[in-house]
Amino acid sequence: MPPTRTAKQRRYLVCPPEHFDVRYAINPWMTSLEPVDVPLAHKQWDALVSLYRELGHTVETVEPVADLPDMVFAANSALVLDGRAFGAQFHAPQRQPEAGHYRTWFEDAGFETLVPSHTCEGEGDFTPVGGFILAGTGFRTLPAAHHEAQEFFGTPTVSLHLVDPHFYHLDTALFALDDSNIAYYPGAFSNGSQTVLKKLFPDAVISTREDALAFGLNSISDGRHVVMAQDATGLMESVAAHGYEPIPVDLSEFRKAGGGAKCCTQELRG
Ligand code: ARG
């Protein structure tokens, strides 16, 4: 019998999809010729936020800004630990103005905020778990930002190399199930990084490529409930077998931009 898992109440920051669209291509998902169904995107996002509230979490919102169609992906705005925000410096010119809008929100909300000196995309590439900050590089965030985050938080940062452009952010290939364990897709990482993950997390839940491509690893867990892309059926079974409670969500419209539940959600850790 797997252990009983305990939920911890969370505080999330999200950005309403008022201006969400796919207007440029900065990852392989964005080249699909299928246009975004805007009303459907709004419905899917509303359902996600309602679900967080039903689960007892606090949800705060940042004002969306016109002509920033990816601003809905709040996870990229920072990594927040102990009430301190390590901000973003976006890789793509199209997204660079988002950083300042988010910074203003963090400062107004009373977070000590650092403006990083190197390219980094917040929780897109940073996952705190097991006493470490797991940090992705290869497509967006630079290793120099991993060092800067380590200095800022005083938490050891483990650099992991992403090698498959479909998994261009760490949070498309790995997520924290709770404070000590993760789920991930090994094929998204270099051989050395796979070995590191195996050593640090011998009991991790391993995802297939198919479930990873269904955005199953772009999930949000509160330690018990795992909000997960509905098509990642195999991964849902695996996390359930480990004692967690998967809750399927449909975010098909955001997948057209290369995003899922986690991308839409910034965790504010106090
Ligand atoms: N279109 C966005 C980009 O390529 C998607 C960001 C997804 N966010 C994430 N945390 N993985 O930057």
Side-chain angles (χ1 to χ4, degrees):
M1 273 287 279
T4 306
R5 307 292 178 178
T6 318
K8 256 208 303 201
Q9 208 227 325
R10 311 281 169 152
R11 183 179 173 202
Y12 296 132
L13 174 66
V14 295
C15 177
E18 217 165 298
H19 307 291
F20 170 62
D21 203 355
V22 176
R23 294 212 223 131
Y24 47 78
I26 55 171
N27 70 54
W29 302 92
M30 300 178 93
T31 53
S32 128
L33 296 174
E34 228 188 306
V36 172
D37 178 336
V38 173
L40 180 59
H42 289 201
K43 257 210 212 143
Q44 292 176 338
W45 187 90
D46 288 346
L48 179 71
V49 170
S50 302
L51 174 59
Y52 290 151
R53 294 202 164 111
E54 277 162 35
L55 291 171
H57 305 308
T58 303
V59 184
E60 298 184 47
T61 50
V62 60
E63 195 64 39
V65 177
D67 296 322
L68 293 176
D70 274 334
M71 194 171 166
V72 71
F73 298 118
N76 297 130
S77 65
L79 169 65
V80 183
L81 287 178
D82 303 325
R84 299 168 77 225
F86 183 85
Q89 194 188 124
F90 286 85
H91 175 73
Q94 294 95 329
R95 295 199 67 185
Q96 280 164 6
E98 292 178 37
H101 296 295
Y102 275 105
R103 185 168 73 240
T104 304
W105 188 92
F106 284 112
E107 285 171 354
D108 290 352
F111 290 89
E112 180 197 334
T113 304
L114 177 117
V115 178
S117 330
H118 306 278
T119 300
C120 69
E121 300 200 345
E123 285 202 312
D125 277 320
F126 287 125
T127 304
V129 61
F132 300 102
I133 298 171
L134 303 184
T137 189
F139 298 100
R140 302 285 180 93
T141 300
L142 294 175
H146 300 176
H147 297 302
E148 206 179 1
Q150 176 166 288
E151 283 303 310
F152 182 66
F153 291 116
T155 298
T157 299
V158 178
S159 289
L160 300 168
H161 211 96
L162 295 161
V163 295
D164 180 331
H166 282 98
F167 308 107
Y168 58 93
H169 272 145
L170 182 68
D171 73 357
T172 62
L174 177 153
F175 74 97
L177 286 158
D178 50 31
D179 291 340
S180 57
N181 203 9
I182 60 169
Y184 70 103
Y185 166 54
F189 297 92
S190 66
N191 286 336
S193 297
Q194 289 184 33
T195 308
V196 169
L197 286 170
K198 238 190 257 170
K199 282 184 190 158
L200 291 180
F201 302 100
D203 301 321
V205 173
I206 300 297
S207 170
T208 61
R209 179 176 179 77
E210 197 189 355
D211 286 330
L213 286 171
F215 270 79
L217 293 161
N218 199 251
S219 291
I220 287 278
S221 176
D222 64 12
R224 177 185 174 89
H225 310 101
V226 183
V227 176
M228 186 181 283
Q230 62 177 13
D231 294 341
T233 48
L235 188 59
M236 251 183 265
E237 278 172 28
S238 306
V239 303
H242 283 75
Y244 303 92
E245 211 180 291
I247 304 179
V249 287
D250 182 8
L251 291 167
S252 63
E253 297 319 290
F254 298 92
R255 201 196 302 185
K256 294 172 184 170
K262 170 62 213 162
C263 299
C264 292
T265 314
Q266 169 69 236
E267 183 165 352
L268 304 170
R269 298 175 188 81

